[in-house]
Amino acid sequence: MNTITNIFAQARNAGTQPISFEIFPPKGELSMESARSMAEELAKLDPSFISVTYSAGGSGNKQATAEIAAMIQDDFSVPTIAHLTCAGASEESIAAAVSDMKGRGIRNVLALRGDLPEGYKPGDFKLAKDLIPRLTEAGFCVGAAAYPEGHIDCDSMRLNVEHLKQKEDAGAEFFVSQLFFDNEYFYRFREQAEAAGITKPITAGIMPFMSKAQISRMVFMCGASLPSPIIKLLARYENDPASLRQAGIEYACRQLTDLQEHGVDGLHVYTMNNPEIARAAMCALKVALVR
């Protein structure tokens, strides 16, 4: 199964961009059958890869991440990335996670700090950059997160870009960006990263807004800015959830096609476990390709 590094290189040589999806394990008791059904629908769209997250806030069945990632690549021949967070983790728990992923044949890992789970104390790894060398030494192709508007805990864009460079220097081979709703932030961030000497590919992460509550939660969790067109859509469809949902998908598709036209390194769709979102994104990008 291809490493993500090879996927980006092959796409660059072909003059294209990797298009990928993200899914997350179901909360509570894991239903591998529902995960398999969702993975089957996504695999039909022929993505470059699929990433599988931990549950939000580090809760839930973490082993399900590796289990689902392995299932996707084994059963549907789609390369996968297993997320791994290190907040509150010990050397022993990371060693166990590494052993589990290697045993399942996983080759690609996204190293993240994550949120400290409730009741946990800080562990042996403070930041993602501390986890990256441990994973590269284990033989994984390692990626990390990028923050086009800066991490919510970091007020300085200069420091934000420095942190990205530190991740690259630690061994990160690719980056996946946090969601954003204004492409101009990503383009400025890309310029800053290039000026700082960052050479690894940065794939742009896009999540459609599906409800007022969801977008409010995302803004406060991630610090993403809300552009005027979205505020107007929220006001227009405040009492029409179905139309707001459709407007959110269409807005995300316009973001994706604009990013594609601007030659970004890759496009990553946060599907929220909804194949409908993935299908809409691929349809929009195929239309863009034939213009």
Side-chain angles (χ1 to χ4, degrees), residues 53-55 57-59 62 65 82-95 97-98 101 109-117 120-135 142-145 147 151 167:
T53 74
Y54 270 9
S55 297
S59 62
K62 294 181 179 180
T65 299
H83 291 212
L84 182 64
T85 62
C86 63
S90 65
E91 287 282 357
E92 292 75 16
S93 66
I94 292 298
V98 166
M101 290 188 294
V109 182
L110 195 72
L112 302 163
R113 184 194 73 177
D115 300 318
L116 190 66
Y120 279 68
K121 296 179 180 179
D124 295 327
F125 301 85
K126 183 180 179 182
L127 299 169
K129 68 175 182 179
D130 304 320
L131 176 62
I132 291 169
R134 176 72 178 81
L135 296 173
V142 183
Y147 300 91
H151 192 282
K167 293 177 187 178

Side-chain angles (χ1 to χ4, degrees), residues 74-280:
D74 293 345
D75 293 357
F76 302 107
S77 300
V78 177
T80 58
I81 303 173
H83 291 212
L84 182 64
T85 62
C86 63
S90 65
E91 287 282 357
E92 292 75 16
S93 66
I94 292 298
V98 166
S99 177
D100 180 49
M101 290 188 294
K102 290 185 77 68
R104 296 179 187 275
I106 290 169
R107 301 188 65 187
N108 308 291
V109 182
L110 195 72
L112 302 163
R113 184 194 73 177
D115 300 318
L116 190 66
E118 187 175 349
Y120 279 68
K121 296 179 180 179
D124 295 327
F125 301 85
K126 183 180 179 182
L127 299 169
K129 68 175 182 179
D130 304 320
L131 176 62
I132 291 169
R134 176 72 178 81
L135 296 173
T136 57
E137 289 166 7
F140 294 109
C141 174
V142 183
Y147 300 91
E149 297 183 64
H151 192 282
I152 197 164
D153 294 335
C154 180
D155 294 330
S156 166
M157 277 304 296
R158 179 184 61 80
L159 285 176
N160 179 55
V161 175
E162 283 185 15
H163 294 159
L164 195 72
K165 185 66 167 67
Q166 290 168 4
K167 293 177 187 178
E168 180 173 291
D169 292 343
E173 292 290 336
F174 63 94
F175 298 101
V176 179
S177 92
Q178 184 174 263
L179 64 91
F180 54 90
F181 300 108
D182 184 340
N183 288 1
E184 291 303 318
Y185 281 105
F186 186 85
Y187 300 141
R188 287 196 291 270
F189 173 68
R190 181 173 61 171
E191 291 176 0
Q192 293 170 323
E194 290 174 355
I198 293 165
T199 61
K200 302 303 183 184
I202 305 173
T203 192
I206 296 297
M207 176 186 287
F209 58 90
M210 309 297 283
S211 69
K212 191 171 183 179
Q214 178 235 7
I215 200 168
S216 298
R217 185 170 63 252
M218 290 299 101
V219 166
F220 281 102
M221 283 179 60
C222 305
S225 301
L226 273 187
S228 175
I230 289 185
I231 295 173
K232 291 176 181 178
L233 287 170
L234 291 171
R236 182 184 307 163
Y237 299 118
E238 184 174 5
N239 299 313
D240 187 351
S243 295
L244 179 60
R245 177 188 178 92
Q246 185 59 35
I249 294 175
E250 291 173 358
Y251 185 94
C253 288
R254 289 194 295 272
Q255 278 190 274
L256 288 164
T257 55
D258 181 73
L259 289 160
Q260 185 179 54
E261 290 165 0
H262 278 76
V264 301
D265 294 324
L267 299 162
H268 191 63
V269 183
Y270 294 105
T271 70
M272 295 177 285
N273 289 4
N274 186 339
E276 175 193 355
I277 291 172
R279 283 192 288 269

